[in-house]
Amino acid sequence: MKLKHNKFKNTGILFELLTRQITADIMSNKESAAVDIVKKYFSRGELSKEYKLYQTLTKAISLSEAKAESIINTTTKLSERLNRSNLRKEKYNLIKEIKEHYDLEEFFKAKIHNYKAYAAVYNLIEAHISTEFIEPSFIVENKVTLLEFLTQQDVNKNKVEDQVMLEYASQDKATRALISKIMIDKFNEKYANLLPEQREVLKTYINKISNTVSLREYINDSFENIKKSLIELQDKVTDQRTQIKLKELSSIIKPLDKNESVKDEDILNILQFHELIHEIKTL
């Protein structure tokens, strides 16, 4: 499921439009109803609290990627504390009051500086509190937008995608199953069809990712089995150069130390070893 950005419910955009309206009213020498509206809804209550979260994510720029990532995670986490029922009521009443004083179509026509950043904040907060399964690609897309805004430079989308996948992998069993399928589909797109052994590796990686000890044991067992297969193949192949290469590969396979954590590189190595073994067996 993908959420849809709604500018009528975006607290950051609502505040920006109201402050612009105040300026327009003053320039037109009119008493501005927007002044009282801002005081009423943004000085206290849940709208005021949520706006502070938007400020945190849109006022800080030129941060390091690590700092930006930390701020995004902390802010979305803090959004859980808001009373969603009261917030919905306040937004409803706010729009109703704006409508009483201004033409809504004209009010929302104004171009907003940093519109994409505001939209990304809205989408990430709504995705974070959603009880529905949100497609990882939606999270990645909005996180990249916000990270690039906060750092003022391009970010590695693949890196963000990997981080999001790891976050999803730590969730409940049903979510992990969906992520496992997504990751396998993604890997299929990049590397064509996966072998059954490779599928099993990815599924196990997703299911055990939150259990460091169990995952490390599985990886070490995989390395041991791969090493045995490579040694067995040395006696079966007739090409001397292939024999030497297999011997070299089997000698460099080492189990992870008990204090080592499993890295993406370990998973990739296992997948590649399975591919190699398959290719040699089918010669």
Side-chain angles (χ1 to χ4, degrees):
M1 170 182 171
K2 282 190 176 183
L3 297 172
K4 187 175 181 180
H5 175 242
N6 188 335
K7 63 183 179 182
F8 291 90
K9 296 181 180 180
N10 187 310
T11 300
I13 287 177
L14 287 169
F15 183 86
E16 287 292 322
L17 289 173
L18 280 166
T19 54
R20 287 192 175 207
Q21 188 62 55
I22 291 172
T23 303
D25 290 343
I26 291 173
M27 294 295 288
S28 301
N29 200 27
K30 293 193 303 184
E31 185 176 345
S32 181
V35 171
D36 291 332
I37 294 173
V38 168
K39 287 180 180 179
K40 181 177 179 179
Y41 290 96
F42 290 93
S43 60
R44 61 186 181 277
E46 299 307 292
L47 257 176
S48 174
K49 294 175 186 176
E50 186 173 59
Y51 178 62
K52 288 176 183 177
L53 299 183
Y54 275 80
Q55 279 187 307
T56 300
L57 288 171
T58 54
K59 301 304 179 184
I61 57 172
S62 299
L63 303 176
S64 68
E65 190 170 332
K67 181 68 174 177
E69 176 78 29
S70 176
I71 289 176
I72 291 171
N73 292 340
T74 301
T75 306
T76 51
K77 183 70 177 174
L78 286 172
S79 68
E80 296 174 6
R81 300 182 184 181
L82 296 173
N83 184 314
R84 310 311 299 186
S85 177
N86 287 348
L87 184 60
R88 283 193 296 271
K89 289 177 183 176
E90 287 178 24
K91 286 185 181 180
Y92 174 83
N93 289 330
L94 170 61
I95 295 296
K96 182 181 178 182
E97 199 156 334
I98 292 172
K99 190 176 180 180
E100 289 173 358
H101 296 279
Y102 302 100
D103 181 279
L104 276 187
E105 187 175 345
E106 288 297 320
F107 183 83
F108 280 98
K109 265 186 180 180
K111 287 187 177 181
I112 297 293
H113 184 53
N114 299 329
Y115 179 90
K116 287 184 178 180
Y118 279 122
V121 174
Y122 173 89
N123 288 336
L124 289 174
I125 288 177
E126 293 301 311
H128 184 77
I129 63 170
S130 176
T131 57
E132 302 292 327
F133 176 80
I134 307 299
E135 290 183 29
S137 60
F138 179 81
I139 305 295
V140 172
E141 179 184 336
N142 285 282
K143 204 162 192 179
V144 167
T145 296
L146 200 49
L147 282 170
E148 290 184 341
F149 171 77
L150 291 171
T151 61
Q152 296 293 291
Q153 60 185 13
D154 293 338
V155 300
N156 187 326
K157 186 176 180 179
N158 289 331
K159 181 182 175 183
V160 175
E161 191 172 49
D162 290 342
Q163 289 172 339
V164 170
M165 288 299 188
L166 290 176
E167 290 168 8
Y168 270 72
S170 64
Q171 297 182 26
D172 59 82
K173 187 176 180 180
T175 300
R176 289 201 304 270
L178 283 168
I179 294 302
S180 177
K181 183 179 183 305
I182 291 169
M183 288 188 74
I184 290 172
D185 289 345
K186 179 188 172 187
F187 197 87
N188 264 323
E189 289 176 8
K190 190 172 183 180
Y191 298 103
N193 295 322
L194 284 172
L195 297 169
E197 298 87 348
Q198 291 172 319
R199 292 180 187 276
E200 186 60 32
V201 170
L202 287 177
K203 286 180 181 178
T204 304
Y205 179 46
I206 292 299
N207 289 325
K208 292 180 180 289
I209 198 166
S210 59
N211 189 329
T212 307
V213 175
S214 181
L215 179 58
R216 184 169 54 242
E217 289 175 352
Y218 171 77
I219 294 302
N220 282 339
D221 287 343
S222 296
F223 278 140
E224 184 62 29
N225 291 331
I226 287 170
K227 188 170 186 174
K228 288 179 182 178
S229 295
L230 292 174
I231 292 172
E232 290 174 2
L233 285 173
Q234 290 175 40
D235 299 325
K236 294 181 180 180
V237 297
T238 56
D239 182 73
Q240 190 174 5
R241 285 183 299 179
T242 304
Q243 287 178 338
I244 294 172
K245 190 65 177 176
L246 288 172
K247 187 175 181 179
E248 289 175 351
L249 287 172
S250 61
S251 67
I252 64 173
I253 295 177
K254 305 292 183 185
L256 298 176
D257 184 78
K258 64 178 181 180
N259 295 320
E260 280 188 273
S261 58
V262 177
K263 301 184 288 294
D264 291 346
E265 180 184 347
D266 297 317
I267 303 299
L268 185 58
N269 285 338
I270 291 175
L271 295 174
Q272 291 174 335
F273 274 128
H274 280 305
E275 183 68 30
L276 173 66
I277 291 169
H278 175 75
E279 288 179 1
I280 294 175
K281 283 182 177 181
T282 54
L283 288 175

